[in-house]
């Protein structure tokens, strides 16, 4: 836990839990361990099996880091607009990586839905006891439309493994339990129970749900908040009870389920994990606020943080402005900036969207 309040002069005490120091480099290490351990205990996954997941990056990296320790393989389906360094890390860790076009979650070829199918295909292959590398002369189905019209197509072998297990980070409540049993109690212990508020963004919703529920049970006076990026519908769900985004109201069809340069946060559906959250309110965060916050922390504290970590810190300042000085606020520093070099930390990329950082302090949050 690091005290950020010396850089946010005049605010409440703001503490950041340094999850980027985990072995796999992010808060998702907790989720990966919990998902795999529960799957092995239940018999849904066997040593020698393959864990599949659809992920924009951090969960996939954590699964690829953890799976070999349990004697398992890892197969990841990732949208091709995610920062390329995430795929490179996954391949270096030994995972099989599929990069596919980003489409709506309702589409059968959404990266999460493809990952689910890969687990089923691995189970089918295992049940037929095929020899390594053989698939009856047939490739697995072509991925997400690639291969048509003469485009390059790559087949992905899931043979030579003892079945597959779809991690399902969005709906698998092992995600929630990882934070209810681990992150929440650690925050309580590390603060001595002396905190007034917790704030975090949500992707799967596991972190904000597990932590908020645990803290509320320990002390009902502790308030928990969501910070939500552009295009996500969770802010309106928390504050108005309806999933709604400005982009949808304007009739725009978005390439992604949400429209933001931050990765791994924001969503337009309610997951089983998010439904477990106990929230007292929500704040909107913008892309430029996240970008500026990341540069502010780098300049003032030498903290090189990823996009979701920066958005969480934006949320922490918003909470501090709301509840006033004399309080202690905790947030999560999810991962470092090393996985965000080609996009969130690329001046060329950001300039395309008018997101070039210019602030000298925290004036972008109305702080003089």
């Amino acid at each position: 836990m690091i005290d950020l309040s010396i850089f946010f002069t005049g605010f409440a005490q703001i503490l950041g839990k340094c999850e980027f120091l985990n072995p796999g480099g992010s808060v998702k290490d907790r989720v990966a361990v919990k998902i795999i351990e529960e799957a092995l205990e239940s018999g849904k996954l066997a040593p020698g099996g393959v864990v599949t997941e659809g992920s924009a990056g951090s969960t996939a990296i954590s699964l690829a880091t953890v799976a070999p320790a349990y004697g398992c393989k890892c197969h990841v389906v990732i949208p091709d607009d995610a920062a390329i360094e995430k795929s490179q890390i996954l391949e270096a860790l030994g995972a099989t990586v599929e990069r596919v076009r980003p489409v709506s979650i309702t589409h059968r070829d959404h990266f999460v839905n493809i990952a689910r199918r890969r687990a089923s295909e691995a189970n089918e292959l295992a049940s037929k006891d095929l020899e390594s590398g053989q698939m009856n002369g047939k490739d697995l189905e072509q991925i997400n439309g690639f291969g048509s019209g003469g485009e390059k197509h790559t087949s992905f072998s899931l043979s030579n493994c003892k079945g597959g297990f779809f991690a399902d980070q969005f709906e698998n409540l092992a995600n929630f339990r990882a934070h209810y049993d681990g992150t929440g109690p650690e925050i309580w212990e590390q603060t001595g129970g002396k905190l007034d508020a917790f704030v975090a963004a949500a992707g799967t919703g596991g972190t904000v749900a597990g932590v908020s529920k645990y803290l509320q049970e320990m002390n009902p006076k502790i308030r928990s908040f969501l910070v939500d990026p552009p295009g996500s519908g969770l802010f309106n769900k928390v504050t108005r009870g309806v999933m709604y985004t400005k982009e949808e109201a304007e009739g725009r069809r978005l390439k992604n389920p949400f429209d933001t340069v931050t990765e791994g946060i924001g969503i337009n559906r309610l997951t089983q994990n998010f439904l477990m959250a106990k929230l007292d309110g929500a704040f909107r965060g913008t892309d430029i606020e996240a970008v500026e916050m990341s540069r502010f922390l780098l300049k003032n504290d030498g903290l090189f943080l990823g996009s979701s970590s920066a958005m969480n810190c934006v949320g922490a300042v918003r909470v501090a402005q709301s509840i006033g000085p004399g309080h202690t606020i905790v947030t999560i520093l999810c991962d470092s900036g090393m996985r965000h070099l080609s996009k969130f930390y690329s001046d060329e990329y950001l300039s395309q969207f008018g997101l070039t950082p210019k602030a000298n302090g925290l004036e972008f949050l109305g702080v003089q």
Side-chain angles (χ1 to χ4, degrees):
M1 196 88 74
I2 185 170
D3 190 344
L4 301 173
S5 52
I6 59 173
F7 307 108
F8 302 135
T9 305
F11 290 112
Q13 182 182 43
I14 297 176
L15 303 177
K17 189 161 175 55
C18 300
E19 293 295 294
F20 59 85
L21 296 178
N22 288 333
S26 84
V27 66
K28 296 297 186 178
D29 283 10
R30 299 173 179 271
V31 178
V33 169
K34 194 71 167 179
I35 285 176
I36 291 177
E37 287 187 346
E38 288 193 6
L40 288 168
E41 290 171 3
S42 68
K44 295 178 180 178
L45 174 67
V50 60
V51 180
T52 73
E53 183 58 292
S55 169
S58 289
T59 301
I61 291 171
S62 292
L63 286 169
T65 301
V66 170
Y70 293 92
C72 299
K73 302 176 182 180
C74 187
H75 182 97
V76 176
V77 187
I78 188 169
D80 64 11
D81 63 346
I84 188 63
E85 51 268 35
K86 294 183 179 181
S87 291
Q88 294 169 335
I89 293 170
L90 285 165
E91 291 170 350
L93 290 169
T96 304
V97 181
E98 290 185 55
R99 289 176 65 86
V100 301
R101 294 172 181 167
V103 293
S104 168
I105 186 63
T106 59
H107 196 289
R108 72 184 302 272
D109 287 338
H110 184 275
F111 61 94
V112 171
N113 297 330
I114 292 175
R116 182 183 289 106
R117 290 205 301 276
R118 293 292 169 259
S120 297
E121 290 162 1
N123 284 327
E124 290 173 7
L125 289 170
S127 67
K128 294 177 181 178
D129 195 26
L130 293 177
E131 294 181 3
S132 177
Q134 292 183 342
M135 294 179 289
N136 290 332
K138 298 180 180 179
D139 288 342
L140 293 175
E141 62 181 283
Q142 293 186 346
I143 311 301
N144 212 12
F146 284 85
S148 62
E151 294 182 39
K152 182 179 179 181
H153 169 67
T154 304
S155 62
F156 298 84
S157 175
L158 295 173
S159 59
N160 193 30
C161 66
K162 297 181 180 179
F165 171 74
F166 175 48
D168 198 12
Q169 60 165 326
F170 286 88
E171 307 301 335
N172 189 337
L173 288 177
N175 183 345
F176 160 79
R177 288 188 286 272
H179 299 291
Y180 179 81
D181 296 336
T183 317
E186 287 179 21
I187 289 173
W188 179 262
E189 180 181 354
Q190 290 167 358
T191 59
K194 297 178 181 179
L195 71 157
D196 300 285
F198 171 76
V199 60
T204 64
T207 304
V208 73
V211 173
S212 65
K213 191 171 191 303
Y214 179 84
L215 293 178
Q216 186 195 62
E217 291 177 359
M218 296 302 293
N219 181 355
K221 294 183 179 180
I222 297 174
R223 289 177 283 178
S224 293
F225 298 91
L226 172 79
V227 58
D228 212 28
S232 175
L234 296 180
F235 170 82
N236 284 312
K237 180 61 179 177
V238 173
T239 59
R240 302 178 184 177
V242 179
M243 290 290 283
Y244 167 92
T245 68
K246 177 182 177 182
E247 290 78 8
E248 290 170 333
E250 293 174 345
R252 287 169 31 190
R253 290 187 62 84
L254 301 178
K255 180 182 67 172
N256 292 316
F258 45 91
D259 191 8
T260 175
V261 298
T262 61
E263 293 188 354
I265 54 175
I267 195 169
N268 274 333
R269 71 182 194 276
L270 294 177
T271 67
Q272 290 301 308
N273 283 288
F274 187 81
L275 288 172
M276 301 296 290
K278 302 296 182 182
L279 297 174
D280 297 281
F283 297 88
R284 274 284 192 208
T286 67
D287 281 348
I288 190 60
E289 288 170 349
V291 170
E292 293 283 16
M293 178 61 77
S294 68
R295 275 54 172 188
F296 176 86
L297 291 170
L298 181 59
K299 178 181 178 180
N300 288 276
D301 193 32
L303 282 173
F304 186 44
L305 300 177
S307 57
S308 57
S309 301
M311 187 64 80
N312 283 350
C313 290
V314 169
V317 172
R318 291 300 188 200
V319 173
Q321 291 172 321
S322 175
I323 68 176
H327 298 90
T328 298
I329 301 161
V330 175
T331 192
I332 303 292
L333 307 183
C334 313
D335 68 354
S336 79
M338 293 302 293
R339 299 174 183 177
H340 303 263
L341 299 177
S342 64
K343 296 181 72 175
F344 192 69
Y345 279 97
S346 167
D347 292 340
E348 181 180 359
Y349 177 82
L350 293 177
S351 66
Q352 300 175 37
F353 304 97
L355 296 174
T356 301
K358 301 176 181 178
N360 294 316
L362 291 172
E363 60 267 27
F364 59 93
L365 291 176
V367 180
Q368 301 300 322

